[in-house]
PDB file of all heavy atoms in Angstrom:
ATOM      1  N   SER X  57     -82.610  69.157  83.678  1.00 94.00           N
ATOM      2  CA  SER X  57     -82.162  67.783  83.501  1.00 94.00           C
ATOM      3  C   SER X  57     -81.259  67.657  82.299  1.00 94.00           C
ATOM      4  O   SER X  57     -81.454  68.298  81.272  1.00 94.00           O
ATOM      5  CB  SER X  57     -83.367  66.885  83.322  1.00 94.00           C
ATOM      6  OG  SER X  57     -82.979  65.599  82.930  1.00 94.00           O
ATOM      7  N   TYR X  58     -80.254  66.750  82.425  1.00 94.00           N
ATOM      8  CA  TYR X  58     -79.383  66.397  81.302  1.00 94.00           C
ATOM      9  C   TYR X  58     -80.049  65.307  80.406  1.00 94.00           C
ATOM     10  O   TYR X  58     -79.456  64.983  79.363  1.00 94.00           O
ATOM     11  CB  TYR X  58     -78.100  65.863  81.755  1.00 94.00           C
ATOM     12  CG  TYR X  58     -77.229  66.842  82.599  1.00 94.00           C
ATOM     13  CD1 TYR X  58     -76.504  66.368  83.692  1.00 94.00           C
ATOM     14  CD2 TYR X  58     -77.141  68.181  82.240  1.00 94.00           C
ATOM     15  CE1 TYR X  58     -75.674  67.234  84.411  1.00 94.00           C
ATOM     16  CE2 TYR X  58     -76.331  69.044  82.944  1.00 94.00           C
ATOM     17  CZ  TYR X  58     -75.591  68.575  84.038  1.00 94.00           C
ATOM     18  OH  TYR X  58     -74.830  69.396  84.804  1.00 94.00           O
ATOM     19  N   GLY X  59     -81.169  64.780  80.836  1.00 97.00           N
ATOM     20  CA  GLY X  59     -81.756  63.692  80.060  1.00 97.00           C
ATOM     21  C   GLY X  59     -82.517  64.196  78.811  1.00 97.00           C
ATOM     22  O   GLY X  59     -83.732  64.042  78.727  1.00 97.00           O
ATOM     23  N   TYR X  60     -81.769  64.732  77.917  1.00 97.00           N
ATOM     24  CA  TYR X  60     -82.361  65.536  76.795  1.00 97.00           C
ATOM     25  C   TYR X  60     -83.428  64.844  75.968  1.00 97.00           C
ATOM     26  O   TYR X  60     -84.386  65.445  75.545  1.00 97.00           O
ATOM     27  CB  TYR X  60     -81.226  66.036  75.870  1.00 97.00           C
ATOM     28  CG  TYR X  60     -80.175  66.865  76.625  1.00 97.00           C
ATOM     29  CD1 TYR X  60     -78.848  66.485  76.545  1.00 97.00           C
ATOM     30  CD2 TYR X  60     -80.526  67.927  77.404  1.00 97.00           C
ATOM     31  CE1 TYR X  60     -77.853  67.232  77.188  1.00 97.00           C
ATOM     32  CE2 TYR X  60     -79.556  68.689  78.103  1.00 97.00           C
ATOM     33  CZ  TYR X  60     -78.230  68.338  77.933  1.00 97.00           C
ATOM     34  OH  TYR X  60     -77.305  69.055  78.638  1.00 97.00           O
ATOM     35  N   LEU X  61     -83.303  63.563  75.765  1.00 98.00           N
ATOM     36  CA  LEU X  61     -84.259  62.849  74.925  1.00 98.00           C
ATOM     37  C   LEU X  61     -85.289  62.046  75.749  1.00 98.00           C
ATOM     38  O   LEU X  61     -86.064  61.270  75.185  1.00 98.00           O
ATOM     39  CB  LEU X  61     -83.563  61.885  73.947  1.00 98.00           C
ATOM     40  CG  LEU X  61     -82.672  62.639  72.905  1.00 98.00           C
ATOM     41  CD1 LEU X  61     -82.116  61.650  71.903  1.00 98.00           C
ATOM     42  CD2 LEU X  61     -83.350  63.783  72.219  1.00 98.00           C
ATOM     43  N   GLY X  62     -85.304  62.275  77.029  1.00 97.00           N
ATOM     44  CA  GLY X  62     -86.317  61.705  77.903  1.00 97.00           C
ATOM     45  C   GLY X  62     -86.300  60.197  77.988  1.00 97.00           C
ATOM     46  O   GLY X  62     -87.388  59.529  78.055  1.00 97.00           O
ATOM     47  N   LEU X  63     -85.096  59.597  78.009  1.00 98.00           N
ATOM     48  CA  LEU X  63     -85.038  58.137  78.023  1.00 98.00           C
ATOM     49  C   LEU X  63     -85.097  57.481  79.408  1.00 98.00           C
ATOM     50  O   LEU X  63     -85.192  56.295  79.534  1.00 98.00           O
ATOM     51  CB  LEU X  63     -83.736  57.690  77.310  1.00 98.00           C
ATOM     52  CG  LEU X  63     -83.637  58.011  75.825  1.00 98.00           C
ATOM     53  CD1 LEU X  63     -82.329  57.529  75.256  1.00 98.00           C
ATOM     54  CD2 LEU X  63     -84.807  57.346  75.037  1.00 98.00           C
ATOM     55  N   ASN X  64     -84.895  58.307  80.470  1.00 97.00           N
ATOM     56  CA  ASN X  64     -84.917  57.765  81.784  1.00 97.00           C
ATOM     57  C   ASN X  64     -86.252  57.115  82.114  1.00 97.00           C
ATOM     58  O   ASN X  64     -87.321  57.687  81.906  1.00 97.00           O
ATOM     59  CB  ASN X  64     -84.665  58.825  82.829  1.00 97.00           C
ATOM     60  CG  ASN X  64     -84.331  58.248  84.239  1.00 97.00           C
ATOM     61  OD1 ASN X  64     -83.645  57.213  84.316  1.00 97.00           O
ATOM     62  ND2 ASN X  64     -84.861  58.889  85.230  1.00 97.00           N
ATOM     63  N   GLY X  65     -86.213  55.847  82.531  1.00 96.00           N
ATOM     64  CA  GLY X  65     -87.464  55.126  82.814  1.00 96.00           C
ATOM     65  C   GLY X  65     -88.062  54.413  81.628  1.00 96.00           C
ATOM     66  O   GLY X  65     -89.168  53.831  81.742  1.00 96.00           O
ATOM     67  N   HIS X  66     -87.384  54.418  80.496  1.00 98.00           N
ATOM     68  CA  HIS X  66     -87.911  53.755  79.309  1.00 98.00           C
ATOM     69  C   HIS X  66     -88.093  52.270  79.593  1.00 98.00           C
ATOM     70  O   HIS X  66     -87.147  51.632  80.111  1.00 98.00           O
ATOM     71  CB  HIS X  66     -86.971  53.982  78.112  1.00 98.00           C
ATOM     72  CG  HIS X  66     -87.526  53.581  76.781  1.00 98.00           C
ATOM     73  ND1 HIS X  66     -87.729  52.275  76.445  1.00 98.00           N
ATOM     74  CD2 HIS X  66     -87.919  54.353  75.725  1.00 98.00           C
ATOM     75  CE1 HIS X  66     -88.253  52.262  75.199  1.00 98.00           C
ATOM     76  NE2 HIS X  66     -88.320  53.510  74.763  1.00 98.00           N
ATOM     77  N   PRO X  67     -89.171  51.669  79.250  1.00 98.00           N
ATOM     78  CA  PRO X  67     -89.425  50.247  79.598  1.00 98.00           C
ATOM     79  C   PRO X  67     -88.323  49.308  79.090  1.00 98.00           C
ATOM     80  O   PRO X  67     -87.963  48.388  79.813  1.00 98.00           O
ATOM     81  CB  PRO X  67     -90.771  49.936  78.956  1.00 98.00           C
ATOM     82  CG  PRO X  67     -91.503  51.279  78.840  1.00 98.00           C
ATOM     83  CD  PRO X  67     -90.347  52.281  78.599  1.00 98.00           C
ATOM     84  N   ARG X  68     -87.811  49.495  77.912  1.00 98.00           N
ATOM     85  CA  ARG X  68     -86.833  48.642  77.368  1.00 98.00           C
ATOM     86  C   ARG X  68     -85.522  48.745  78.141  1.00 98.00           C
ATOM     87  O   ARG X  68     -84.830  47.711  78.397  1.00 98.00           O
ATOM     88  CB  ARG X  68     -86.574  48.966  75.850  1.00 98.00           C
ATOM     89  CG  ARG X  68     -87.634  48.400  74.938  1.00 98.00           C
ATOM     90  CD  ARG X  68     -87.455  48.907  73.506  1.00 98.00           C
ATOM     91  NE  ARG X  68     -86.103  48.721  73.009  1.00 98.00           N
ATOM     92  CZ  ARG X  68     -85.709  49.102  71.785  1.00 98.00           C
ATOM     93  NH1 ARG X  68     -86.617  49.760  70.994  1.00 98.00           N
ATOM     94  NH2 ARG X  68     -84.479  48.876  71.389  1.00 98.00           N
ATOM     95  N   ILE X  69     -85.211  49.969  78.538  1.00 98.00           N
ATOM     96  CA  ILE X  69     -83.930  50.145  79.314  1.00 98.00           C
ATOM     97  C   ILE X  69     -84.129  49.550  80.714  1.00 98.00           C
ATOM     98  O   ILE X  69     -83.117  48.941  81.196  1.00 98.00           O
ATOM     99  CB  ILE X  69     -83.636  51.653  79.331  1.00 98.00           C
ATOM    100  CG1 ILE X  69     -83.404  52.177  77.916  1.00 98.00           C
ATOM    101  CG2 ILE X  69     -82.382  51.907  80.204  1.00 98.00           C
ATOM    102  CD1 ILE X  69     -83.202  53.688  77.815  1.00 98.00           C
ATOM    103  N   LEU X  70     -85.267  49.776  81.355  1.00 98.00           N
ATOM    104  CA  LEU X  70     -85.448  49.169  82.645  1.00 98.00           C
ATOM    105  C   LEU X  70     -85.388  47.636  82.559  1.00 98.00           C
ATOM    106  O   LEU X  70     -84.752  47.005  83.448  1.00 98.00           O
ATOM    107  CB  LEU X  70     -86.828  49.605  83.185  1.00 98.00           C
ATOM    108  CG  LEU X  70     -86.968  51.051  83.557  1.00 98.00           C
ATOM    109  CD1 LEU X  70     -88.434  51.353  83.953  1.00 98.00           C
ATOM    110  CD2 LEU X  70     -86.032  51.400  84.678  1.00 98.00           C
ATOM    111  N   ARG X  71     -85.978  47.031  81.579  1.00 98.00           N
ATOM    112  CA  ARG X  71     -85.981  45.564  81.421  1.00 98.00           C
ATOM    113  C   ARG X  71     -84.547  45.045  81.224  1.00 98.00           C
ATOM    114  O   ARG X  71     -84.159  44.074  81.858  1.00 98.00           O
ATOM    115  CB  ARG X  71     -86.883  45.129  80.304  1.00 98.00           C
ATOM    116  CG  ARG X  71     -86.967  43.650  80.104  1.00 98.00           C
ATOM    117  CD  ARG X  71     -88.062  43.216  79.088  1.00 98.00           C
ATOM    118  NE  ARG X  71     -87.798  43.854  77.769  1.00 98.00           N
ATOM    119  CZ  ARG X  71     -88.541  44.790  77.248  1.00 98.00           C
ATOM    120  NH1 ARG X  71     -89.564  45.339  77.943  1.00 98.00           N
ATOM    121  NH2 ARG X  71     -88.300  45.244  76.028  1.00 98.00           N
ATOM    122  N   ALA X  72     -83.795  45.736  80.369  1.00 98.00           N
ATOM    123  CA  ALA X  72     -82.356  45.297  80.129  1.00 98.00           C
ATOM    124  C   ALA X  72     -81.559  45.413  81.428  1.00 98.00           C
ATOM    125  O   ALA X  72     -80.721  44.555  81.687  1.00 98.00           O
ATOM    126  CB  ALA X  72     -81.748  46.175  79.018  1.00 98.00           C
ATOM    127  N   THR X  73     -81.790  46.431  82.186  1.00 98.00           N
ATOM    128  CA  THR X  73     -81.073  46.614  83.444  1.00 98.00           C
ATOM    129  C   THR X  73     -81.371  45.527  84.447  1.00 98.00           C
ATOM    130  O   THR X  73     -80.494  44.940  85.089  1.00 98.00           O
ATOM    131  CB  THR X  73     -81.416  47.987  84.075  1.00 98.00           C
ATOM    132  OG1 THR X  73     -81.144  49.022  83.106  1.00 98.00           O
ATOM    133  CG2 THR X  73     -80.597  48.232  85.332  1.00 98.00           C
ATOM    134  N   ARG X  74     -82.632  45.212  84.580  1.00 98.00           N
ATOM    135  CA  ARG X  74     -83.067  44.121  85.508  1.00 98.00           C
ATOM    136  C   ARG X  74     -82.498  42.785  85.083  1.00 98.00           C
ATOM    137  O   ARG X  74     -81.964  42.033  85.935  1.00 98.00           O
ATOM    138  CB  ARG X  74     -84.580  44.035  85.560  1.00 98.00           C
ATOM    139  CG  ARG X  74     -85.284  45.145  86.370  1.00 98.00           C
ATOM    140  CD  ARG X  74     -86.768  44.787  86.627  1.00 98.00           C
ATOM    141  NE  ARG X  74     -87.543  44.743  85.380  1.00 98.00           N
ATOM    142  CZ  ARG X  74     -88.181  45.829  84.887  1.00 98.00           C
ATOM    143  NH1 ARG X  74     -88.221  46.966  85.569  1.00 98.00           N
ATOM    144  NH2 ARG X  74     -88.890  45.733  83.787  1.00 98.00           N
ATOM    145  N   GLU X  75     -82.484  42.499  83.801  1.00 98.00           N
ATOM    146  CA  GLU X  75     -81.942  41.252  83.332  1.00 98.00           C
ATOM    147  C   GLU X  75     -80.460  41.112  83.562  1.00 98.00           C
ATOM    148  O   GLU X  75     -79.943  40.063  83.935  1.00 98.00           O
ATOM    149  CB  GLU X  75     -82.244  41.107  81.829  1.00 98.00           C
ATOM    150  CG  GLU X  75     -83.758  40.873  81.521  1.00 98.00           C
ATOM    151  CD  GLU X  75     -84.015  40.876  80.051  1.00 98.00           C
ATOM    152  OE1 GLU X  75     -83.123  41.152  79.263  1.00 98.00           O
ATOM    153  OE2 GLU X  75     -85.154  40.608  79.670  1.00 98.00           O
ATOM    154  N   ALA X  76     -79.708  42.283  83.423  1.00 98.00           N
ATOM    155  CA  ALA X  76     -78.283  42.274  83.652  1.00 98.00           C
ATOM    156  C   ALA X  76     -77.964  42.048  85.110  1.00 98.00           C
ATOM    157  O   ALA X  76     -77.025  41.245  85.441  1.00 98.00           O
ATOM    158  CB  ALA X  76     -77.689  43.601  83.203  1.00 98.00           C
ATOM    159  N   VAL X  77     -78.743  42.689  85.996  1.00 98.00           N
ATOM    160  CA  VAL X  77     -78.480  42.460  87.421  1.00 98.00           C
ATOM    161  C   VAL X  77     -78.790  41.010  87.830  1.00 98.00           C
ATOM    162  O   VAL X  77     -78.088  40.426  88.620  1.00 98.00           O
ATOM    163  CB  VAL X  77     -79.367  43.455  88.253  1.00 98.00           C
ATOM    164  CG1 VAL X  77     -79.302  43.170  89.742  1.00 98.00           C
ATOM    165  CG2 VAL X  77     -78.892  44.893  87.994  1.00 98.00           C
TER     166      VAL X  77
END
Side-chain angles (χ1 to χ4, degrees):
S57 170
Y58 297 141
Y60 302 127
L61 297 187
L63 294 180
N64 192 39
H66 192 289
R68 283 172 51 183
I69 299 173
L70 291 176
R71 182 169 60 250
T73 304
R74 285 193 293 266
E75 290 173 356
V77 171

